[in-house]
């Protein structure tokens, strides 16, 4: 038996021993949900731990296991679980009722906070999810420019919606040439007519972006990108150059800050000093409740309003838009994010990045650690990760085994690992102590499956 089979089967067995009740629920889930899940991002092998509760920086599962949470529902819970200020705001609102067939003052309050913080925000629209925010932002760009095509970056995930679910995780057989990627639907069920209107370019490559914009300028409504795409940063000057070219050709620039808004009070656009035309938001701005939003200039947002001579050009509604509990939880969250909280999260994020780098280097493993501000991430590759193709050189098996063994040790990473305002030095120490043991145990596996990573 090879090291992978021997060591990983030990990790899986231990996981199953510690997660017997989760397995029972998982078996039930198979009967009532296709693939036993209703959110593929939380699915994992052999099966996920079913979570019961969270408090501060800890979560617990149905088997009674406690974890240091370094996921915080994929970055949403920037203040941790059950933050007193958020709980207070929610309780106060619940006393008044949960939702109404009319607006509440709370949506105006949250909108004002976003406008105060985000450079590209003069006006706001709320949605129940980031997906819908992206959908509506693209529709807005199309209405404003009266053009249909959009450009997105290969490997970027912007939610679950036809026009954007293209070339998210294409396989090597499907992906095509690196500088002229194929447009590969991420899912069945996306009509060809939709695919035809989405152009795909590599992230961080300004030459290809410029060429694609020039060639399609008469049909292009917008370029949409995540300023920090899946944990790797834009190259110096990249965002500025995209901004300049889009402006030159009258194409709107949309920043998807659903995840990376977390890095600064004004989001990644504040960090990099580049202001897009439209920004999509979600996750943390709902304080743990379902939410999305898109913000833009008053001029662009006019498409929704009676200010236009021809009347509103865009229809937009939704039963749960500006859901009152999300509005008050979001406002309480933003209010608690003071400069010292950002500073603390940056510091602990840096401690995680440095600590993980040291652990890998002590074991002579050439994987490297990325991330910005409160984000950290091990890239299981020697290559510098700058786009989808370089990200694909990372060994996902190493990632999965690392995550699974970490769960056995009470550390919960999964997608978008991050620290929150309530993460403590003790949490970081626990996570790094556990990571040291995990990497030691996995070293023979890594040597076997990814020999290039071990010196
Ligand atoms: N944009 C980005 C960058 C995302 O990562 C996600 C989801 N994680 C979305 C949009 C979609 O947000 P939601 O899951 O709230 O629909």
């Amino acid at each position: 038996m090879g090291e992978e089979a021997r060591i990983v089967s030990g990790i899986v067995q231990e996981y199953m021993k510690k997660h017997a009740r989760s397995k029972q629920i998982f078996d039930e889930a198979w009967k009532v949900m296709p693939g036993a899940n209703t959110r593929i991002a939380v699915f994992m092998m052999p099966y996920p731990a079913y979570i019961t509760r969270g408090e501060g920086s800890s979560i617990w599962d149905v088997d009674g296991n406690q974890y240091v949470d370094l996921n915080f529902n994929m970055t949403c819970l920037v203040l941790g679980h059950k933050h007193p200020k958020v709980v207070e705001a929610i309780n106060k609102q619940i006393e008044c009722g949960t939702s109404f067939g009319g607006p509440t003052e709370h949506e105006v309050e949250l909108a004002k906070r976003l406008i105060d913080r985000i450079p590209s925000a003069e006006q706001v629209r709320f949605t129940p999810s980031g997906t819908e925010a992206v959908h509506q932002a693209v529709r807005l760009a199309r209405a404003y420019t009266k053009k249909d095509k959009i450009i997105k970056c290969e490997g970027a995930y912007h939610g679950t919606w036809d026009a954007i679910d293209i070339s998210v995780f294409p396989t090597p057989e499907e992906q095509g040439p690196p500088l002229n990627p194929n447009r590969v639907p991420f899912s069945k069920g996306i009509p060809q007519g939709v695919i035809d209107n989405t152009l795909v370019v590599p992230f961080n490559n300004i030459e290809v972006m410029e060429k694609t914009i020039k060639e399609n300028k008469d049909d292009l409504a917008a370029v949409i990108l995540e300023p920090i795409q899946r944990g790797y940063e834009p190259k110096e000057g990249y965002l500025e150059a995209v901004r300049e070219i889009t402006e030159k050709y009258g194409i709107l620039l949309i920043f998807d800050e659903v995840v990376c808004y977390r890095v600064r009070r004004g989001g990644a656009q504040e960090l990099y000093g580049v202001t897009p035309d439209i920004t999509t938001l979600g996750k943390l701005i709902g304080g743990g409740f379902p939410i999305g939003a898109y913000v833009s200039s008053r001029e662009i947002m006019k498409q929704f309003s009676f200010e236009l001579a021809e009347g509103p050009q865009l229809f937009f509604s939704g039963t749960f838009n500006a859901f009152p509990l999300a509005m008050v939880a979001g406002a309480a969250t933003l209010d608690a994010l003071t400069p010292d909280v950002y500073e603390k999260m940056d510091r602990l994020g840096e401690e995680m990045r440095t600590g993980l780098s040291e652990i890998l280097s002590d074991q002579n493993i050439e994987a490297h650690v990325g991330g910005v501000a409160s984000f950290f991430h091990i890239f299981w590759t020697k290559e510098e990760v700058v786009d989808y193709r370089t990200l694909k050189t990372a060994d996902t098996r190493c990632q999965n085994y690392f995550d699974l063994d970490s769960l056995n040790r009470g550390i919960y990473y999964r997608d978008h690992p991050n620290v929150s305002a309530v993460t403590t030095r003790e949490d970081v120490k626990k996570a790094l102590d556990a990571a040291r043991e995990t990497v030691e145990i996995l070293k023979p596996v890594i040597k076997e499956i990814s020999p290039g990573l071990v010196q």
Side-chain angles (χ1 to χ4, degrees), residues 162-200:
D162 289 6
I164 217 75
D165 272 351
I166 296 180
S167 297
V168 180
F169 292 117
T171 62
E173 298 73 43
E174 297 167 327
Q175 65 195 11
L179 299 185
N180 185 18
N182 291 339
R183 305 173 209 181
V184 184
F186 186 34
S187 171
K188 296 272 182 240
I190 301 179
Q192 187 58 45
V194 171
I195 300 168
D196 291 343
N197 278 315
T198 300
L199 308 173
V200 177

mmCIF file of all heavy atoms in Angstrom, residues 162-200:
data_model
loop_
_atom_site.group_PDB
_atom_site.id
_atom_site.type_symbol
_atom_site.label_atom_id
_atom_site.label_comp_id
_atom_site.label_asym_id
_atom_site.label_seq_id
_atom_site.Cartn_x
_atom_site.Cartn_y
_atom_site.Cartn_z
ATOM 1 N N ASP A 162 -26.477 32.003 -15.017
ATOM 2 C CA ASP A 162 -26.062 31.557 -16.350
ATOM 3 C C ASP A 162 -24.893 32.327 -16.974
ATOM 4 O O ASP A 162 -23.866 31.742 -17.320
ATOM 5 C CB ASP A 162 -27.247 31.634 -17.327
ATOM 6 C CG ASP A 162 -28.295 30.565 -17.039
ATOM 7 O OD1 ASP A 162 -28.149 29.857 -16.030
ATOM 8 O OD2 ASP A 162 -29.257 30.443 -17.817
ATOM 9 N N ALA A 163 -25.048 33.645 -17.117
ATOM 10 C CA ALA A 163 -24.075 34.397 -17.926
ATOM 11 C C ALA A 163 -22.693 34.461 -17.291
ATOM 12 O O ALA A 163 -21.712 34.801 -17.947
ATOM 13 C CB ALA A 163 -24.592 35.809 -18.163
ATOM 14 N N ILE A 164 -22.638 34.121 -16.012
ATOM 15 C CA ILE A 164 -21.380 34.287 -15.286
ATOM 16 C C ILE A 164 -20.768 32.922 -14.936
ATOM 17 O O ILE A 164 -19.606 32.823 -14.571
ATOM 18 C CB ILE A 164 -21.669 35.155 -14.031
ATOM 19 C CG1 ILE A 164 -20.525 36.091 -13.739
ATOM 20 C CG2 ILE A 164 -22.060 34.366 -12.844
ATOM 21 C CD1 ILE A 164 -20.440 37.248 -14.662
ATOM 22 N N ASP A 165 -21.589 31.883 -15.048
ATOM 23 C CA ASP A 165 -21.113 30.529 -14.741
ATOM 24 C C ASP A 165 -20.405 29.934 -15.947
ATOM 25 O O ASP A 165 -20.769 28.869 -16.454
ATOM 26 C CB ASP A 165 -22.286 29.637 -14.323
ATOM 27 C CG ASP A 165 -22.542 29.731 -12.831
ATOM 28 O OD1 ASP A 165 -21.718 30.345 -12.143
ATOM 29 O OD2 ASP A 165 -23.548 29.184 -12.369
ATOM 30 N N ILE A 166 -19.401 30.643 -16.392
ATOM 31 C CA ILE A 166 -18.678 30.226 -17.586
ATOM 32 C C ILE A 166 -17.186 30.245 -17.272
ATOM 33 O O ILE A 166 -16.688 31.209 -16.667
ATOM 34 C CB ILE A 166 -19.033 31.164 -18.769
ATOM 35 C CG1 ILE A 166 -20.534 30.973 -19.045
ATOM 36 C CG2 ILE A 166 -18.179 30.853 -20.004
ATOM 37 C CD1 ILE A 166 -21.109 31.765 -20.131
ATOM 38 N N SER A 167 -16.504 29.145 -17.630
ATOM 39 C CA SER A 167 -15.059 29.016 -17.370
ATOM 40 C C SER A 167 -14.724 29.289 -15.904
ATOM 41 O O SER A 167 -13.835 30.078 -15.593
ATOM 42 C CB SER A 167 -14.256 29.918 -18.293
ATOM 43 O OG SER A 167 -14.450 29.517 -19.630
ATOM 44 N N VAL A 168 -15.456 28.642 -15.011
ATOM 45 C CA VAL A 168 -15.174 28.774 -13.578
ATOM 46 C C VAL A 168 -14.117 27.745 -13.169
ATOM 47 O O VAL A 168 -13.098 28.098 -12.574
ATOM 48 C CB VAL A 168 -16.466 28.619 -12.741
ATOM 49 C CG1 VAL A 168 -16.160 28.751 -11.250
ATOM 50 C CG2 VAL A 168 -17.497 29.659 -13.144
ATOM 51 N N PHE A 169 -14.353 26.488 -13.486
ATOM 52 C CA PHE A 169 -13.340 25.439 -13.234
ATOM 53 C C PHE A 169 -13.176 24.555 -14.470
ATOM 54 O O PHE A 169 -13.426 23.358 -14.394
ATOM 55 C CB PHE A 169 -13.760 24.532 -12.063
ATOM 56 C CG PHE A 169 -13.771 25.198 -10.722
ATOM 57 C CD1 PHE A 169 -14.950 25.338 -10.006
ATOM 58 C CD2 PHE A 169 -12.598 25.671 -10.154
ATOM 59 C CE1 PHE A 169 -14.981 25.951 -8.760
ATOM 60 C CE2 PHE A 169 -12.607 26.286 -8.912
ATOM 61 C CZ PHE A 169 -13.798 26.423 -8.218
ATOM 62 N N PRO A 170 -12.811 25.105 -15.621
ATOM 63 C CA PRO A 170 -12.698 24.232 -16.800
ATOM 64 C C PRO A 170 -11.578 23.210 -16.634
ATOM 65 O O PRO A 170 -10.567 23.490 -15.970
ATOM 66 C CB PRO A 170 -12.373 25.217 -17.927
ATOM 67 C CG PRO A 170 -11.785 26.411 -17.256
ATOM 68 C CD PRO A 170 -12.406 26.494 -15.900
ATOM 69 N N THR A 171 -11.771 22.050 -17.214
ATOM 70 C CA THR A 171 -10.726 21.012 -17.141
ATOM 71 C C THR A 171 -9.644 21.326 -18.174
ATOM 72 O O THR A 171 -9.882 22.096 -19.118
ATOM 73 C CB THR A 171 -11.324 19.628 -17.475
ATOM 74 O OG1 THR A 171 -11.802 19.696 -18.833
ATOM 75 C CG2 THR A 171 -12.461 19.259 -16.544
ATOM 76 N N PRO A 172 -8.459 20.703 -18.042
ATOM 77 C CA PRO A 172 -7.391 20.948 -19.025
ATOM 78 C C PRO A 172 -7.847 20.630 -20.450
ATOM 79 O O PRO A 172 -7.459 21.313 -21.391
ATOM 80 C CB PRO A 172 -6.274 19.997 -18.587
ATOM 81 C CG PRO A 172 -6.528 19.757 -17.133
ATOM 82 C CD PRO A 172 -8.014 19.849 -16.930
ATOM 83 N N GLU A 173 -8.706 19.630 -20.601
ATOM 84 C CA GLU A 173 -9.182 19.265 -21.947
ATOM 85 C C GLU A 173 -10.090 20.354 -22.524
ATOM 86 O O GLU A 173 -10.133 20.560 -23.724
ATOM 87 C CB GLU A 173 -9.970 17.940 -21.930
ATOM 88 C CG GLU A 173 -9.175 16.715 -21.484
ATOM 89 C CD GLU A 173 -8.883 16.705 -19.987
ATOM 90 O OE1 GLU A 173 -9.788 17.021 -19.196
ATOM 91 O OE2 GLU A 173 -7.727 16.387 -19.608
ATOM 92 N N GLU A 174 -10.839 21.017 -21.630
ATOM 93 C CA GLU A 174 -11.829 21.991 -22.102
ATOM 94 C C GLU A 174 -11.273 23.407 -22.255
ATOM 95 O O GLU A 174 -11.794 24.208 -23.032
ATOM 96 C CB GLU A 174 -12.973 22.125 -21.071
ATOM 97 C CG GLU A 174 -13.797 20.903 -20.825
ATOM 98 C CD GLU A 174 -14.674 21.077 -19.574
ATOM 99 O OE1 GLU A 174 -14.269 21.758 -18.600
ATOM 100 O OE2 GLU A 174 -15.773 20.508 -19.583
ATOM 101 N N GLN A 175 -10.258 23.732 -21.469
ATOM 102 C CA GLN A 175 -9.969 25.151 -21.217
ATOM 103 C C GLN A 175 -9.410 25.939 -22.408
ATOM 104 O O GLN A 175 -9.575 27.155 -22.478
ATOM 105 C CB GLN A 175 -9.039 25.298 -20.012
ATOM 106 C CG GLN A 175 -7.661 24.724 -20.202
ATOM 107 C CD GLN A 175 -6.909 24.556 -18.885
ATOM 108 O OE1 GLN A 175 -7.469 24.679 -17.805
ATOM 109 N NE2 GLN A 175 -5.625 24.264 -18.968
ATOM 110 N N GLY A 176 -8.752 25.257 -23.343
ATOM 111 C CA GLY A 176 -8.223 25.972 -24.508
ATOM 112 C C GLY A 176 -6.926 26.694 -24.195
ATOM 113 O O GLY A 176 -6.380 26.572 -23.101
ATOM 114 N N PRO A 177 -6.434 27.510 -25.158
ATOM 115 C CA PRO A 177 -5.140 28.171 -24.976
ATOM 116 C C PRO A 177 -5.172 29.191 -23.835
ATOM 117 O O PRO A 177 -6.195 29.874 -23.670
ATOM 118 C CB PRO A 177 -4.891 28.875 -26.309
ATOM 119 C CG PRO A 177 -6.034 28.563 -27.192
ATOM 120 C CD PRO A 177 -7.075 27.816 -26.435
ATOM 121 N N PRO A 178 -4.082 29.330 -23.079
ATOM 122 C CA PRO A 178 -4.095 30.208 -21.906
ATOM 123 C C PRO A 178 -4.394 31.674 -22.231
ATOM 124 O O PRO A 178 -5.017 32.365 -21.444
ATOM 125 C CB PRO A 178 -2.685 30.077 -21.315
ATOM 126 C CG PRO A 178 -1.895 29.239 -22.240
ATOM 127 C CD PRO A 178 -2.807 28.610 -23.233
ATOM 128 N N LEU A 179 -3.939 32.134 -23.406
ATOM 129 C CA LEU A 179 -4.156 33.546 -23.712
ATOM 130 C C LEU A 179 -5.439 33.785 -24.514
ATOM 131 O O LEU A 179 -5.793 34.919 -24.806
ATOM 132 C CB LEU A 179 -2.955 34.116 -24.475
ATOM 133 C CG LEU A 179 -1.625 34.058 -23.711
ATOM 134 C CD1 LEU A 179 -0.522 34.744 -24.487
ATOM 135 C CD2 LEU A 179 -1.743 34.662 -22.311
ATOM 136 N N ASN A 180 -6.116 32.676 -24.831
ATOM 137 C CA ASN A 180 -7.392 32.803 -25.539
ATOM 138 C C ASN A 180 -8.316 31.676 -25.060
ATOM 139 O O ASN A 180 -8.671 30.775 -25.807
ATOM 140 C CB ASN A 180 -7.135 32.705 -27.048
ATOM 141 C CG ASN A 180 -8.401 32.952 -27.842
ATOM 142 O OD1 ASN A 180 -9.365 33.516 -27.318
ATOM 143 N ND2 ASN A 180 -8.419 32.507 -29.086
ATOM 144 N N PRO A 181 -8.687 31.744 -23.776
ATOM 145 C CA PRO A 181 -9.407 30.611 -23.176
ATOM 146 C C PRO A 181 -10.743 30.330 -23.864
ATOM 147 O O PRO A 181 -11.405 31.265 -24.339
ATOM 148 C CB PRO A 181 -9.657 31.056 -21.733
ATOM 149 C CG PRO A 181 -8.846 32.277 -21.510
ATOM 150 C CD PRO A 181 -8.555 32.883 -22.850
ATOM 151 N N ASN A 182 -11.108 29.045 -23.918
ATOM 152 C CA ASN A 182 -12.443 28.692 -24.399
ATOM 153 C C ASN A 182 -13.488 29.197 -23.406
ATOM 154 O O ASN A 182 -13.192 29.376 -22.229
ATOM 155 C CB ASN A 182 -12.584 27.168 -24.491
ATOM 156 C CG ASN A 182 -11.728 26.603 -25.601
ATOM 157 O OD1 ASN A 182 -11.348 27.323 -26.528
ATOM 158 N ND2 ASN A 182 -11.415 25.313 -25.521
ATOM 159 N N ARG A 183 -14.708 29.347 -23.896
ATOM 160 C CA ARG A 183 -15.817 29.674 -22.975
ATOM 161 C C ARG A 183 -16.484 28.363 -22.613
ATOM 162 O O ARG A 183 -17.166 27.761 -23.447
ATOM 163 C CB ARG A 183 -16.831 30.553 -23.664
ATOM 164 C CG ARG A 183 -16.217 31.793 -24.225
ATOM 165 C CD ARG A 183 -17.278 32.488 -25.017
ATOM 166 N NE ARG A 183 -16.686 33.244 -26.087
ATOM 167 C CZ ARG A 183 -17.379 33.977 -26.929
ATOM 168 N NH1 ARG A 183 -18.697 34.008 -26.842
ATOM 169 N NH2 ARG A 183 -16.787 34.648 -27.861
ATOM 170 N N VAL A 184 -16.271 27.932 -21.392
ATOM 171 C CA VAL A 184 -16.740 26.607 -20.995
ATOM 172 C C VAL A 184 -17.857 26.745 -19.960
ATOM 173 O O VAL A 184 -17.605 27.231 -18.850
ATOM 174 C CB VAL A 184 -15.575 25.789 -20.378
ATOM 175 C CG1 VAL A 184 -16.034 24.384 -20.050
ATOM 176 C CG2 VAL A 184 -14.364 25.787 -21.291
ATOM 177 N N PRO A 185 -19.082 26.342 -20.304
ATOM 178 C CA PRO A 185 -20.145 26.444 -19.282
ATOM 179 C C PRO A 185 -19.799 25.594 -18.069
ATOM 180 O O PRO A 185 -19.315 24.477 -18.195
ATOM 181 C CB PRO A 185 -21.383 25.922 -20.002
ATOM 182 C CG PRO A 185 -20.908 25.273 -21.255
ATOM 183 C CD PRO A 185 -19.549 25.786 -21.570
ATOM 184 N N PHE A 186 -20.025 26.167 -16.895
ATOM 185 C CA PHE A 186 -19.696 25.510 -15.624
ATOM 186 C C PHE A 186 -20.747 24.468 -15.288
ATOM 187 O O PHE A 186 -20.558 23.639 -14.416
ATOM 188 C CB PHE A 186 -19.652 26.605 -14.550
ATOM 189 C CG PHE A 186 -19.197 26.160 -13.196
ATOM 190 C CD1 PHE A 186 -18.249 25.171 -13.028
ATOM 191 C CD2 PHE A 186 -19.716 26.778 -12.056
ATOM 192 C CE1 PHE A 186 -17.826 24.793 -11.770
ATOM 193 C CE2 PHE A 186 -19.297 26.410 -10.794
ATOM 194 C CZ PHE A 186 -18.353 25.417 -10.649
ATOM 195 N N SER A 187 -21.866 24.553 -16.004
ATOM 196 C CA SER A 187 -22.995 23.711 -15.659
ATOM 197 C C SER A 187 -23.752 23.388 -16.941
ATOM 198 O O SER A 187 -23.703 24.168 -17.892
ATOM 199 C CB SER A 187 -23.898 24.513 -14.714
ATOM 200 O OG SER A 187 -25.099 23.851 -14.500
ATOM 201 N N LYS A 188 -24.433 22.267 -16.927
ATOM 202 C CA LYS A 188 -25.392 22.024 -18.013
ATOM 203 C C LYS A 188 -26.544 23.016 -17.821
ATOM 204 O O LYS A 188 -26.719 23.565 -16.738
ATOM 205 C CB LYS A 188 -25.947 20.601 -17.917
ATOM 206 C CG LYS A 188 -24.882 19.541 -18.105
ATOM 207 C CD LYS A 188 -24.710 19.188 -19.565
ATOM 208 C CE LYS A 188 -23.671 18.098 -19.732
ATOM 209 N NZ LYS A 188 -22.527 18.511 -20.556
ATOM 210 N N GLY A 189 -27.314 23.213 -18.867
ATOM 211 C CA GLY A 189 -28.511 24.054 -18.717
ATOM 212 C C GLY A 189 -28.270 25.511 -19.052
ATOM 213 O O GLY A 189 -29.163 26.332 -18.852
ATOM 214 N N ILE A 190 -27.052 25.854 -19.506
ATOM 215 C CA ILE A 190 -26.800 27.249 -19.891
ATOM 216 C C ILE A 190 -26.918 27.349 -21.413
ATOM 217 O O ILE A 190 -26.159 26.710 -22.137
ATOM 218 C CB ILE A 190 -25.401 27.707 -19.422
ATOM 219 C CG1 ILE A 190 -25.289 27.577 -17.894
ATOM 220 C CG2 ILE A 190 -25.133 29.148 -19.871
ATOM 221 C CD1 ILE A 190 -23.952 27.971 -17.319
ATOM 222 N N PRO A 191 -27.868 28.138 -21.911
ATOM 223 C CA PRO A 191 -28.086 28.186 -23.365
ATOM 224 C C PRO A 191 -26.893 28.779 -24.119
ATOM 225 O O PRO A 191 -26.204 29.660 -23.600
ATOM 226 C CB PRO A 191 -29.304 29.111 -23.507
ATOM 227 C CG PRO A 191 -29.887 29.248 -22.154
ATOM 228 C CD PRO A 191 -28.795 28.995 -21.172
ATOM 229 N N GLN A 192 -26.688 28.310 -25.335
ATOM 230 C CA GLN A 192 -25.564 28.777 -26.152
ATOM 231 C C GLN A 192 -25.630 30.293 -26.364
ATOM 232 O O GLN A 192 -24.602 30.975 -26.333
ATOM 233 C CB GLN A 192 -25.568 28.044 -27.512
ATOM 234 C CG GLN A 192 -24.344 28.324 -28.372
ATOM 235 C CD GLN A 192 -23.028 27.955 -27.697
ATOM 236 O OE1 GLN A 192 -22.892 26.894 -27.106
ATOM 237 N NE2 GLN A 192 -22.041 28.850 -27.748
ATOM 238 N N GLY A 193 -26.843 30.819 -26.517
ATOM 239 C CA GLY A 193 -26.991 32.268 -26.738
ATOM 240 C C GLY A 193 -26.409 33.065 -25.578
ATOM 241 O O GLY A 193 -25.877 34.159 -25.764
ATOM 242 N N VAL A 194 -26.519 32.525 -24.382
ATOM 243 C CA VAL A 194 -25.967 33.200 -23.199
ATOM 244 C C VAL A 194 -24.442 33.104 -23.229
ATOM 245 O O VAL A 194 -23.733 34.097 -23.002
ATOM 246 C CB VAL A 194 -26.540 32.560 -21.909
ATOM 247 C CG1 VAL A 194 -25.821 33.077 -20.687
ATOM 248 C CG2 VAL A 194 -28.032 32.835 -21.805
ATOM 249 N N ILE A 195 -23.952 31.914 -23.542
ATOM 250 C CA ILE A 195 -22.488 31.707 -23.580
ATOM 251 C C ILE A 195 -21.857 32.666 -24.600
ATOM 252 O O ILE A 195 -20.791 33.237 -24.359
ATOM 253 C CB ILE A 195 -22.161 30.235 -23.935
ATOM 254 C CG1 ILE A 195 -22.761 29.302 -22.881
ATOM 255 C CG2 ILE A 195 -20.649 30.015 -24.055
ATOM 256 C CD1 ILE A 195 -22.746 27.832 -23.262
ATOM 257 N N ASP A 196 -22.537 32.871 -25.714
ATOM 258 C CA ASP A 196 -21.995 33.721 -26.779
ATOM 259 C C ASP A 196 -21.745 35.160 -26.312
ATOM 260 O O ASP A 196 -20.932 35.866 -26.887
ATOM 261 C CB ASP A 196 -22.964 33.769 -27.977
ATOM 262 C CG ASP A 196 -23.021 32.417 -28.688
ATOM 263 O OD1 ASP A 196 -22.108 31.589 -28.459
ATOM 264 O OD2 ASP A 196 -23.977 32.192 -29.452
ATOM 265 N N ASN A 197 -22.463 35.567 -25.287
ATOM 266 C CA ASN A 197 -22.318 36.962 -24.833
ATOM 267 C C ASN A 197 -21.327 37.140 -23.692
ATOM 268 O O ASN A 197 -21.183 38.243 -23.165
ATOM 269 C CB ASN A 197 -23.685 37.512 -24.419
ATOM 270 C CG ASN A 197 -24.471 37.982 -25.617
ATOM 271 O OD1 ASN A 197 -23.925 38.664 -26.480
ATOM 272 N ND2 ASN A 197 -25.721 37.587 -25.706
ATOM 273 N N THR A 198 -20.693 36.055 -23.264
ATOM 274 C CA THR A 198 -19.692 36.179 -22.195
ATOM 275 C C THR A 198 -18.312 35.851 -22.755
ATOM 276 O O THR A 198 -18.074 34.729 -23.215
ATOM 277 C CB THR A 198 -20.030 35.225 -21.027
ATOM 278 O OG1 THR A 198 -21.315 35.575 -20.505
ATOM 279 C CG2 THR A 198 -19.000 35.331 -19.911
ATOM 280 N N LEU A 199 -17.417 36.817 -22.709
ATOM 281 C CA LEU A 199 -16.046 36.596 -23.178
ATOM 282 C C LEU A 199 -15.167 36.302 -21.969
ATOM 283 O O LEU A 199 -15.398 36.846 -20.884
ATOM 284 C CB LEU A 199 -15.537 37.837 -23.901
ATOM 285 C CG LEU A 199 -16.451 38.361 -25.022
ATOM 286 C CD1 LEU A 199 -15.930 39.687 -25.554
ATOM 287 C CD2 LEU A 199 -16.549 37.333 -26.138
ATOM 288 N N VAL A 200 -14.163 35.452 -22.179
ATOM 289 C CA VAL A 200 -13.336 35.015 -21.049
ATOM 290 C C VAL A 200 -11.879 35.384 -21.291
ATOM 291 O O VAL A 200 -11.342 35.111 -22.364
ATOM 292 C CB VAL A 200 -13.468 33.489 -20.857
ATOM 293 C CG1 VAL A 200 -12.565 33.001 -19.728
ATOM 294 C CG2 VAL A 200 -14.921 33.110 -20.566
#
